[in-house]
Amino acid sequence: MMRLGTSNVKKCGVLMMYDSKRTGNSALQRHVDRVCKTTDDAGGLLQPSIAAFASCSRKIPLQDKQKMTEKCVAFCCKDLRPFRSIEGEGFRELAQQLIHVGAVYGPVAAQDVLPDPTTVSKRCHEMAKEERKRLVAQLNEINEEVKTIGMTTDIWTEDFHKLSYMAITCHFVTRTFKLVSKVLTTAVFPQEEAKTGDNIRREILRLLTEYGLDMSLLNKVVWVTDQGSNIISALRPYHRLDCQDHLYNTVMRHALNLKELAEEAPTVSETIEATKALVKYVKKTGIAALLSKTVNQMGDTRFSTVYLTLNSVRSVYQELRQKLEDRAESWRIDAVCPDVLHFLVGFLQAFYEAQRELEGDQNSTINLVLLWFERLKRHCGKKTSDTPYQVIIRGRHLHWILRKVEIKDLHRIATFLWPKYSQLRMWSASGRDDLHLEVRRQLSDHHTEEASTDPGEGPAPKKAAVYFEEWENQPLANAGDEVEEYSTHNHVMQDDRDVLGWWREHHVTYPKLGILACGILAIPASSSSSERNLHTHPHNPHKHTKHTI
């Protein structure tokens, strides 16, 4: 005889029947798992968070993963998208949201979930406006608190339509000492206008005004750009620093001038020219596809292009020689001198590492400029074991570093604001004293500006020497100022690269220096952020698109 029981589920109000002898309460448990956990107290669907699904530990069967791979292949092939699209942050967020919808509502048709392109376009413009308003408000707020904001700009012309695009990126540090980089705009440069300094400046001002920025902000902006004469002319009325990546690219381009090297160090010029020709040949003939690693061709605009090409060939040198010998074409690699190749790769690697660090945007980079300048100067110094051609290569690079790279006060102060190097041991005592004076001057200027803009509570009392108060005597206890106290301490950092993180924790101890750090450490060392927006975007920017999100 069956022993049936009933149970009323409080969560959803359903009356459940069960056989206590055969199944116990297993049916009830299955109901709770499948229904009640996806409904709220009112009986509506309960939407689990995306993070809950992302953290799911269930193992996906291999067969299903293979199907997913095939769908990714179909997506890339049918829509003509690069394979790297599937690792993009936006694509993965979209995929996670689709998984979330499927988990809540079950199997649904894709067309019922995905919006129309027109809807996406309209929402994009709405989100851009919302983001723009938030950013403008944030910048206007920053404008009242800090002394310096960084901006980068670059112009790029695409080959097909010959349209020129201008990108402007803003860099600033928030109240919580977080570094923020935002693309303000990417817009088509007027086709009817020549790219003269006046026209570029006019377009920059137009775009920033259209964006809604308070134009007084430009008085605090430090621009970082390449050394194009038109860009320099356009920004002449403002503060500007040279892009360090472009500077070191210029150094290497001049130092490795093949015509000059043919006379001074012929083995070096022959090795570079032979490597360049070899890479071109193996790519043209399909040999490159048979190699275990990719070989890179030299480009005119890519940073560290000589290093990347030489290093790619050195990594497959023996493998490449064997394949050429099999084709009775070993003469093509004979002109590539292995010892010269090895030296050049090792020597140029320091420049490659410098450029990679200086173009970063996750942490402050302006504080790296002086240190890399000093390290590369030392790197290019003559070594006792150097052969004649190695002495020439080092000497040429040192000559062009000293000629092209100029260290400014902002670079020096940024290094001083890096607690790990606040004692400036790479400088002489007189150099350190001069810098301390400059830091004190900037702190004094900032304090004076704050006092002049503070309305206070009613008129200030009249003083006999109201215009000379900055020179009044100060209490002797003030002699031990922040600069002295900060520079004489041996500071410990949890993360050597997280300079702003250190100031977040210690700005109460050094409040004036903290404000200075907020401004100066926002300035990037290079203009790579604007260049990446133009050059490394998966698709060329459409002429009607402005990337602001």
Side-chain angles (χ1 to χ4, degrees):
M1 182 176 178
M2 296 177 59
R3 298 180 181 178
L4 297 178
T6 60
S7 177
N8 194 339
V9 183
K10 294 182 179 180
K11 184 74 175 179
C12 59
V14 173
L15 184 66
M16 298 289 296
M17 183 177 293
Y18 63 93
D19 184 349
S20 59
K21 187 174 183 180
R22 294 179 58 190
T23 62
N25 64 354
S26 58
L28 176 61
Q29 186 62 49
R30 283 195 299 271
H31 172 81
V32 171
D33 292 339
R34 293 177 182 177
V35 179
C36 295
K37 288 186 178 181
T38 61
T39 59
D40 56 20
D41 293 333
L45 284 174
L46 183 66
Q47 298 186 2
S49 66
I50 294 178
F53 292 107
S55 61
C56 180
S57 59
R58 291 181 60 185
K59 188 175 181 180
I60 308 299
L62 179 60
Q63 183 178 2
D64 290 334
K65 295 187 72 172
Q66 289 176 340
K67 288 181 179 179
M68 182 60 68
T69 301
E70 292 171 1
K71 291 298 182 183
C72 289
V73 170
F75 161 71
C76 295
C77 294
K78 290 181 178 180
D79 294 348
L80 298 179
R81 296 290 183 266
F83 294 128
R84 296 181 67 91
S85 296
I86 64 171
E87 67 178 9
E89 181 181 357
F91 178 84
R92 297 199 172 212
E93 289 179 356
L94 172 62
Q96 195 66 63
Q97 183 63 25
L98 291 173
I99 293 173
H100 168 69
V101 171
V104 173
Y105 299 101
V108 293
Q111 59 266 27
D112 294 337
V113 178
L114 295 175
D116 184 89
T118 304
T119 304
V120 175
S121 176
K122 289 180 179 179
R123 183 54 185 151
C124 178
H125 286 284
E126 291 172 357
M127 292 175 65
K129 289 180 180 179
E130 294 167 3
E131 177 67 18
R132 187 180 297 118
K133 288 181 180 179
R134 285 193 294 267
L135 183 56
V136 168
Q138 193 173 20
L139 287 174
N140 290 336
E141 182 179 330
I142 292 293
N143 188 21
E144 299 175 359
E145 298 176 354
V146 302
K147 192 174 181 180
T148 310
I149 292 174
M151 282 194 182
T152 60
T153 186
D154 191 31
I155 298 177
W156 170 75
T157 302
E158 54 96 2
D159 294 329
F160 187 68
H161 296 291
K162 301 300 180 183
L163 293 175
S164 297
Y165 296 88
M166 172 182 284
I168 302 177
T169 308
C170 182
H171 310 261
F172 59 92
V173 174
T174 66
R175 287 180 172 180
T176 57
F177 288 84
K178 179 182 178 182
L179 181 64
V180 177
S181 297
K182 288 285 187 179
V183 178
L184 297 183
T185 183
T186 301
V188 177
F189 192 87
Q191 291 180 273
E192 66 279 3
E193 294 184 1
K195 298 181 188 68
T196 63
D198 290 341
N199 289 339
I200 291 175
R201 179 167 60 251
R202 189 182 303 113
E203 185 64 11
I204 288 175
L205 294 177
R206 186 189 70 80
L207 291 172
L208 293 180
T209 302
E210 181 184 279
Y211 202 87
L213 291 179
D214 181 352
M215 297 311 288
S216 67
L217 186 72
L218 287 177
N219 296 322
K220 295 187 175 183
V221 169
V222 175
W223 292 90
V224 180
T225 72
D226 59 29
Q227 293 76 53
S229 58
N230 54 353
I231 289 288
I232 293 176
S233 175
L235 299 175
R236 200 176 303 280
Y238 309 107
H239 301 292
R240 194 193 71 85
L241 294 176
D242 288 330
C243 168
Q244 294 295 308
D245 274 357
H246 279 92
L247 285 178
Y248 286 115
N249 218 43
T250 302
V251 166
M252 289 184 282
R253 187 175 69 251
H254 285 292
L256 297 176
N257 183 292
L258 295 180
K259 290 183 179 179
E260 296 177 4
L261 286 177
E263 298 180 2
E264 299 181 31
T267 54
V268 175
S269 65
E270 290 171 4
T271 295
I272 294 176
E273 287 182 326
T275 303
K276 185 176 180 179
L278 179 61
V279 171
K280 185 177 181 179
Y281 175 76
V282 299
K283 283 186 172 291
K284 181 179 179 181
T285 57
I287 297 177
L290 304 176
L291 299 173
S292 58
K293 296 181 180 179
T294 302
V295 289
N296 299 317
Q297 283 187 293
M298 290 187 191
D300 295 330
T301 59
R302 186 171 53 185
F303 293 154
S304 302
T305 181
V306 176
Y307 166 79
L308 292 171
T309 299
L310 296 177
N311 188 46
S312 67
V313 170
R314 190 189 70 159
S315 65
V316 293
Y317 180 84
Q318 294 298 334
E319 184 182 353
L320 185 54
R321 172 173 282 280
Q322 183 61 52
K323 293 191 180 300
L324 291 172
E325 287 177 353
D326 294 342
R327 297 165 62 100
E329 293 179 334
S330 59
W331 58 271
R332 293 185 181 276
I333 200 172
D334 288 340
V336 179
C337 188
D339 60 304
V340 175
L341 181 65
H342 179 78
F343 166 76
L344 288 175
V345 170
F347 175 74
L348 294 176
Q349 185 174 358
F351 289 87
Y352 173 77
E353 291 173 352
Q355 289 184 305
R356 295 291 78 77
E357 282 209 332
L358 291 169
E359 71 177 10
D361 56 9
Q362 298 300 314
N363 292 309
S364 298
T365 53
I366 190 172
N367 51 294
L368 293 165
V369 173
L370 174 59
L371 295 173
W372 272 113
F373 174 72
E374 295 293 340
R375 178 183 171 184
L376 290 175
K377 282 198 306 180
R378 183 177 298 180
H379 178 66
C380 294
K382 182 179 178 180
K383 307 295 188 294
T384 56
S385 60
D386 281 347
T387 62
Y389 81 84
Q390 292 174 351
V391 172
I392 292 172
I393 294 300
R394 291 187 192 276
R396 287 179 62 86
H397 280 79
L398 180 59
H399 167 77
W400 285 105
I401 286 176
L402 297 176
R403 182 171 175 178
K404 290 292 182 180
V405 183
E406 183 179 1
I407 300 299
K408 302 286 189 178
D409 281 342
L410 285 173
H411 298 135
R412 298 184 180 96
I413 295 173
T415 305
F416 172 71
L417 292 172
W418 191 348
K420 190 178 179 69
Y421 302 96
S422 60
Q423 296 177 6
L424 299 173
R425 297 180 58 195
M426 73 289 296
W427 274 18
S428 64
S430 61
R432 290 193 290 269
D433 291 341
D434 290 343
L435 182 68
H436 291 166
L437 287 174
E438 174 60 22
V439 173
R440 289 186 176 96
R441 185 189 67 78
Q442 294 213 19
L443 294 180
S444 175
D445 289 348
H446 186 74
H447 178 70
T448 302
E449 290 174 6
E450 281 187 334
S452 64
T453 56
D454 185 6
E457 298 181 0
K462 293 183 178 180
K463 300 176 65 175
V466 67
Y467 297 112
F468 313 121
E469 57 188 62
E470 62 181 291
W471 294 310
E472 291 179 2
N473 291 338
Q474 296 291 329
L476 293 178
N478 195 42
D481 60 9
E482 283 187 26
V483 175
E484 181 180 349
E485 183 179 351
Y486 170 75
S487 61
T488 54
H489 273 66
N490 183 22
H491 304 289
V492 177
M493 299 182 66
Q494 297 278 336
D495 181 352
D496 290 347
R497 297 296 181 185
D498 189 12
V499 184
L500 289 171
W502 188 91
W503 280 106
R504 184 187 305 117
E505 297 177 0
H506 296 83
H507 72 280
V508 176
T509 306
Y510 309 106
K512 295 179 181 178
L513 286 173
I515 294 174
L516 187 65
C518 263
I520 291 181
L521 295 177
I523 305 170
S526 80
S527 59
S528 297
S529 54
S530 288
E531 293 182 33
R532 279 194 293 266
N533 185 47
L534 294 172
H535 296 291
T536 63
H537 196 274
H539 311 289
N540 294 338
H542 190 272
K543 64 181 181 179
H544 297 303
T545 302
K546 292 182 179 179
H547 302 286
T548 55
I549 297 180

